[in-house]
Amino acid sequence: NAGVTQTPKFQVLKTGQSMTLQCAQDMNHNSMYWYRQDPGMGLRLIYYSASEGTTDKGEVPNGYNVSRLNKREFSLRLESAAPSQTSVYFCASRKEIYSNQPQHFGDGTRLSIL
Amino acid sequence: QQQVKQSPQSLIVQKGGISIINCAYENTAFDYFPWYQQFPGKGPALLIAIRPDVSEKKEGRFTISFNKSAKQFSLHIMDSQPGDSATYFCAARNYGGATNKLIFGTGTLLAVQP
């Protein structure tokens, strides 16, 4: 059971570089989410996708774009990385956006912007 | 009104002791309150959850106490073990809202000393 798989696990970028974080789930879930986790800030929602073909902004979308490539995959792109985007990024999925079932998280991508 | 305030930020408990983590919220539309457990290098995983129509839910050594009038809920870990050492996040969801998003607390780092 792979669940939610995120790649890469670690990445170091220079300011201004671009990068795409990949996420794939094998649980046939419809909704997918991108969070960032910073010390003392908890988990903050960047973007989410309620179903294939739809994406919406979360709490902190500035500086990011997303693509719901298909039902399995949801990618997060940093077009011009900034040091403030240094964080741990988590992808999550849930069966349906309005279900009572829990969100399942990947193990994160640790991103440093120099 | 969308915030969930969590305390303490960190907690040290002796093996066999009781760990207590508290959360408070303002939005009375929240209708689902999960707790997530996160080990180093891993993503958060659902530990236990409660709905506001009950005052307590117990699963093994883990108990959620819910006080609807005070808009507070807490996680109690009985007979705490070193293996419980992790970061714990409370969260709240507005099921009837436009997005059904989870709002996370800022996290509590628990260390259980042997």
Side-chain angles (χ1 to χ4, degrees):
Chain A
N1 275 347
V4 178
T5 302
Q6 293 184 237
T7 56
K9 295 187 184 302
F10 303 92
Q11 185 69 48
V12 178
L13 293 178
K14 294 181 179 178
T15 298
Q17 286 185 317
S18 62
M19 171 162 191
T20 299
L21 280 60
Q22 306 288 351
C23 174
Q25 53 90 9
D26 62 1
M27 296 174 284
N28 200 34
H29 287 174
N30 284 306
S31 62
M32 298 185 73
Y33 310 80
W34 275 105
Y35 293 88
R36 60 177 290 173
Q37 184 178 26
D38 302 291
M41 303 288 286
L43 289 143
R44 292 182 292 169
L45 183 64
I46 305 171
Y47 270 94
Y48 67 98
S49 170
S51 61
E52 183 179 356
T54 70
T55 61
D56 284 287
K57 295 178 180 179
E59 182 184 356
V60 288
N62 291 344
Y64 305 96
N65 287 301
V66 291
S67 296
R68 184 74 183 265
L69 304 171
N70 48 55
K71 189 172 185 177
R72 291 186 63 249
E73 298 173 290
F74 188 37
S75 63
L76 178 71
R77 183 162 179 84
L78 287 70
E79 289 291 351
S80 180
S84 61
Q85 294 177 305
T86 293
S87 188
V88 182
Y89 291 86
F90 287 99
C91 177
S93 70
R94 182 195 288 170
K95 179 68 174 175
E96 302 288 348
I97 193 166
Y98 287 104
S99 77
N100 287 332
Q101 293 180 351
Q103 289 189 11
H104 295 264
F105 285 82
D107 285 339
T109 294
R110 284 143 187 84
L111 184 61
S112 293
I113 316 295
L114 304 178
Chain B
Q1 250 206 343
Q2 285 291 90
Q3 283 186 323
V4 177
K5 295 182 179 180
Q6 183 171 348
S7 63
Q9 188 173 2
S10 62
L11 181 62
I12 299 174
V13 174
Q14 296 297 315
K15 178 181 176 181
I18 301 173
S19 303
I20 301 174
I21 304 170
N22 301 298
C23 285
Y25 64 96
E26 290 294 326
N27 189 346
T28 56
F30 289 154
D31 74 334
Y32 173 72
F33 302 89
W35 285 89
Y36 281 79
Q37 180 187 54
Q38 183 182 29
F39 293 107
K42 297 294 185 181
L46 180 67
L47 181 64
I48 186 172
I50 196 168
R51 298 184 70 88
D53 53 346
V54 296
S55 60
E56 185 176 282
K57 183 173 181 180
K58 184 176 181 180
E59 291 184 1
R61 296 185 293 108
F62 300 90
T63 300
I64 300 178
S65 297
F66 187 84
N67 186 328
K68 189 173 182 178
S69 61
K71 291 183 282 187
Q72 295 176 347
F73 59 110
S74 59
L75 176 68
H76 296 235
I77 306 174
M78 310 301 288
D79 187 26
S80 299
Q81 299 296 312
D84 297 331
S85 297
T87 299
Y88 292 82
F89 292 95
C90 63
R93 183 194 71 185
N94 180 357
Y95 185 81
T99 60
N100 198 36
K101 291 179 293 188
L102 280 177
I103 309 298
F104 284 87
T106 52
T108 296
L109 179 60
L110 171 65
V112 180
Q113 294 185 334

